[in-house]
Amino acid sequence: MLKGVDIYPESLSNKKKFGAEEKQELNSKSPSPAGGKPTLHLDLEKRDLNGNITKSHPKVRSSPDLDFPLSHKGFSEVGKELVTPEGLMANTDTSPLEKANQENKLGMLVFSIEYNFEKKAFIVNIKEAHGLSAMDEQSMTSDPYVKMTILPDKKHRVKTRVLRKTLDPCFDETFSFYGIPYSQVQDLGLHFMILSFDRFSRDDVIGEVLVHLAGVDLSKGAIVMNKEIIKRSAKKSTGRGELLVSLCYQSTTSTLTVVVLKARHLPKTESLGLSDPYVKVNLYQGQKRVCKKKTHVKKCSPNPVFNELFVFDVPAEGGLQDTSVELLLLDSDRQSRNEVIGRLRLGANAEGTIGEHWREICEHPRRQIAKWHTLSD
C-alpha cells in the first residue's frame, strides 16, 4: 500500500488529495537534489497501483448533494418528459364509454329452435352460454342455470340443470312443447332467465334474454340463435299495484276478519309476461308472526279478483293496539321461489290511508270497512 494515498472520498475526509496540488508544494518546499535539474516525481493520477498508465476519468462525487439527476429503474427520458410504466398504462386505457359497455356485458346465450310438423311440437335446445358474470365474489365464478318461459301465457316453463363453478356453461338440453300449432308460433315469445344457484339464499339473477318469434320461419329446419344477455328489466315505475282489503273487528269475540277482495294495475314480473298472483296474509303480535294464510292463485291476471275471507283471533286484553296484518302479493312460480310483487302492512303505527283504515275499524267495531291501498316494495 502506498503511503499518503487517501482512498476515501473527499466528502468524508479533510485531507488534500494526492495530486497536482501536492506536487506543487513539494516543488516549492524541497530543493532539487541535482541543483538546477528538474525534480523527478511520479504522476500517480495516471498510474494504477501496479504502475500501469491509466486513462483519466471525470471525478464523481459521492456526496448526497449531487447536481445531476440519476437514472431510475423504470423511467426513460423522452425529450424533456419522463415516461413511467404507469403513464404508459394510462395511455392504453379504454375510454369511459368502452368501460361502461364492458361492465354492462353479461355474456351470450346460444340456443336453437325448430318445429316438428309430424308431432306438432315446438322444440328449443339450450346449448351454451359464454362470458357470464361472476356472482360469487370469493371464487369469482358462478353456478349457472337457465329458466325458460314461453310467453305470453306462461303455460310452459322449464329449466336446465345447474353447472358448478363456470362462466362458460355447456347445457345442451332439449325441451319439446307439444300441442302448439305452427300457426301460433309467430305469436310466441321466449324469455330466458340466466341465474346462479345459491345454496344459502335466493338465487342470483345474472340477466335475461327475450326473443320474439314474429317473422321467424321454421319451415326449413332448425335455427341457431346467439343472443346477448342483458340486465333484468326493472319493474314499472308506476308502482306495484293496488289491493282492495276489507277489515272488521269484533270486540265481543276478539276476532279480526280480513277479506282480500281484488287487486289492480299489477306490474309485469317478466317481460311481456302476466303474473300468476296470490295473496299471503300474516298476523303479527308485536314482532312475532302468530298466524299465516293465503288465497288461491289467479292465473295470468293483471287485475285478479280473490274475494276470500280470513278470520284471526286477537288477544282480548290488548285488542288491536299490538296487532298488525301483513299482506304480501306474490307471483306463483313452480320452478323457483315465488317473487314478491308488493306488500302492505296494516296496523296502529301505519301512516296515511293505511293508518286511517286501522283507526276506523277500532272506532267502529263490527263494521266491515273496505279501502284501496297502494302496495310498496
Side-chain angles (χ1 to χ4, degrees), residues 164-336:
R164 302 288 183 178
K165 299 187 181 303
T166 177
L167 300 180
D168 301 289
C170 182
F171 301 104
D172 194 21
E173 296 189 38
T174 302
F175 303 95
S176 300
F177 305 94
Y178 299 92
I180 299 179
Y182 181 73
S183 59
Q184 294 183 4
V185 172
Q186 301 286 325
D187 301 328
L188 301 180
L190 300 180
H191 181 256
F192 300 90
M193 187 73 71
I194 298 87
L195 304 102
S196 178
F197 175 77
D198 193 331
R199 180 177 299 175
F200 304 103
S201 63
R202 190 170 186 175
D203 297 345
D204 299 314
V205 178
I206 298 176
E208 65 180 357
V209 173
L210 178 63
V211 180
H212 300 279
L213 300 183
V216 177
D217 184 11
L218 298 178
S219 60
K220 298 180 181 179
I223 298 177
V224 179
M225 295 187 176
N226 191 346
K227 296 292 183 179
E228 183 178 351
I229 301 172
I230 62 175
K231 189 176 181 179
R232 188 180 186 183
S233 59
K235 296 182 183 296
K236 290 184 176 180
S237 59
T238 54
R240 303 298 180 121
E242 297 177 282
L243 188 65
L244 180 59
V245 182
S246 177
L247 302 176
C248 180
Y249 175 58
Q250 294 283 352
S251 57
T252 55
T253 58
S254 297
T255 57
L256 176 65
T257 303
V258 180
V259 183
V260 181
L261 295 170
K262 56 184 177 180
R264 65 185 180 187
H265 310 315
L266 300 186
K268 297 177 181 178
T269 55
E270 296 178 354
S271 300
L272 295 183
L274 299 177
S275 58
D276 299 333
Y278 71 97
V279 178
K280 186 176 181 180
V281 185
N282 298 319
L283 181 72
Y284 283 85
Q285 292 294 332
Q287 299 298 325
K288 182 180 180 181
R289 186 176 68 178
V290 295
C291 188
K292 61 179 180 179
K293 298 181 181 181
K294 64 179 180 179
T295 67
H296 293 86
V297 177
K298 303 297 180 178
K299 291 289 187 180
C300 303
S301 177
N303 302 295
V305 177
F306 302 102
N307 199 23
E308 297 189 38
L309 181 146
F310 306 99
V311 179
F312 300 96
D313 293 326
V314 178
E317 60 277 5
L320 295 179
Q321 294 301 319
D322 199 34
T323 303
S324 60
V325 177
E326 182 187 47
L327 297 101
L328 299 176
L329 185 64
L330 300 102
D331 179 27
S332 178
D333 192 339
R334 295 181 180 179
Q335 301 296 331
S336 64

Side-chain angles (χ1 to χ4, degrees), residues 3-26 42-47 55-62:
K3 286 186 177 182
V5 178
D6 189 2
I7 62 174
Y8 294 97
E10 63 177 317
S11 62
L12 302 178
S13 175
N14 295 326
K15 297 180 180 180
K16 293 184 179 180
K17 192 169 182 181
F18 188 86
E21 296 178 356
E22 190 173 348
K23 288 185 286 183
Q24 292 178 0
E25 292 181 0
L26 290 175
L42 295 176
D43 189 358
L44 295 179
E45 283 189 339
K46 297 183 180 181
R47 294 178 181 271
K55 295 183 180 180
S56 60
H57 297 283
K59 299 178 182 179
V60 179
R61 295 182 291 120
S62 60

Side-chain angles (χ1 to χ4, degrees), residues 111-117 123-125 127 216-225:
F111 61 94
S112 67
I113 56 175
E114 61 180 310
Y115 191 84
N116 190 320
F117 291 91
I123 302 173
V124 180
N125 177 260
K127 297 182 177 297
V216 177
D217 184 11
L218 298 178
S219 60
K220 298 180 181 179
I223 298 177
V224 179
M225 295 187 176

Side-chain angles (χ1 to χ4, degrees), residues 101-170:
N101 292 336
Q102 291 177 0
E103 291 177 358
N104 292 334
K105 289 185 178 179
L106 304 176
M108 304 292 292
L109 179 67
V110 183
F111 61 94
S112 67
I113 56 175
E114 61 180 310
Y115 191 84
N116 190 320
F117 291 91
E118 295 181 0
K119 298 181 180 180
K120 294 182 179 180
F122 177 65
I123 302 173
V124 180
N125 177 260
I126 301 177
K127 297 182 177 297
E128 56 192 3
H130 301 289
L132 299 181
S133 299
M135 294 291 105
D136 189 345
E137 297 180 356
Q138 295 182 351
S139 62
M140 292 305 296
T141 185
S142 296
D143 298 328
Y145 69 96
V146 179
K147 287 172 52 179
M148 192 199 76
T149 305
I150 297 182
L151 304 176
D153 296 334
K154 300 198 322 183
K155 294 180 179 179
H156 304 282
R157 298 181 180 183
V158 295
K159 67 177 180 179
T160 67
R161 67 189 186 281
V162 177
L163 298 182
R164 302 288 183 178
K165 299 187 181 303
T166 177
L167 300 180
D168 301 289
C170 182

